[in-house]
Amino acid sequence: FVGLIALQAGGAALRMRINVYKNQFVPASTYINQHAKPEEMVMGSAELGFGIGFDRNLVDDILIGFKSRYRPEFIVQESNWQALMEIFRTERPPVFAHMQRLFTQEYRLVYDENGYKIWKRIHRSDP
């Protein structure tokens, strides 16, 4: 019983030390707040609403527009989305191919830190 309590307390202490919210989530959501216009669509996990606001044009679409055909201005991937992409590689090859095409032809990586990747849509007028 004491070992179980110590294990739980140690896990909590580790999470507090790492401070995922402050060190990972806040910098990524700050980037979006600084670079995305309020009317621009941002696609990412719904939890992103806590950082950028739920009144923003935020869409949680794990298939990144495969079915919805949405093309947001920014795509925010956290580690869970990245892990799902690897699952799609073998479980849903058409979805994986769609994502690969987006990230190699339609978007460019503008942020890659602490488990978050942010992609911005490429426009013909971009340098």
Side-chain angles (χ1 to χ4, degrees), residues 14 17-18 25 37 62 72-73 79 92 97 103 117 126-127:
L14 178 62
R17 181 159 195 229
I18 293 173
F25 180 78
K37 297 173 186 161
I62 195 64
E73 192 62 27
S79 57
R92 298 186 70 184
F103 296 135
K117 290 184 179 183
D126 290 345

Side-chain angles (χ1 to χ4, degrees), residues 42-48 58-65 72 74-88 99 103 115 117 119:
V42 176
M43 191 172 283
S45 176
E47 71 185 22
L48 192 58
L58 175 64
V59 175
D60 186 345
D61 180 358
I62 195 64
L63 300 179
I64 311 179
F74 291 90
I75 298 172
V76 180
Q77 286 184 301
E78 40 84 21
S79 57
N80 290 337
W81 274 38
Q82 294 172 42
L84 278 172
M85 233 179 116
E86 287 306 310
I87 292 170
F88 290 153
M99 292 175 172
F103 296 135
K117 290 184 179 183
W119 303 81

Side-chain angles (χ1 to χ4, degrees), residues 9-68:
L14 178 62
R15 283 190 300 277
M16 286 173 26
R17 181 159 195 229
I18 293 173
N19 198 347
V20 172
Y21 177 78
K22 178 183 170 204
N23 296 323
Q24 296 176 2
F25 180 78
V26 170
S29 57
T30 298
Y31 183 92
I32 289 295
N33 284 326
Q34 291 174 343
H35 294 89
K37 297 173 186 161
E39 68 276 5
E40 292 176 329
M41 181 185 294
V42 176
M43 191 172 283
S45 176
E47 71 185 22
L48 192 58
F50 289 105
I52 68 170
F54 289 100
D55 57 341
R56 295 283 297 259
N57 196 3
L58 175 64
V59 175
D60 186 345
D61 180 358
I62 195 64
L63 300 179
I64 311 179
F66 180 74
K67 288 186 179 182
S68 69

Side-chain angles (χ1 to χ4, degrees), residues 110-127:
V110 293
Y111 180 96
D112 186 2
E113 294 183 28
N114 302 315
Y116 279 85
K117 290 184 179 183
I118 300 176
W119 303 81
K120 184 174 185 342
R121 189 171 184 186
I122 299 169
H123 298 279
R124 293 182 197 268
S125 60
D126 290 345

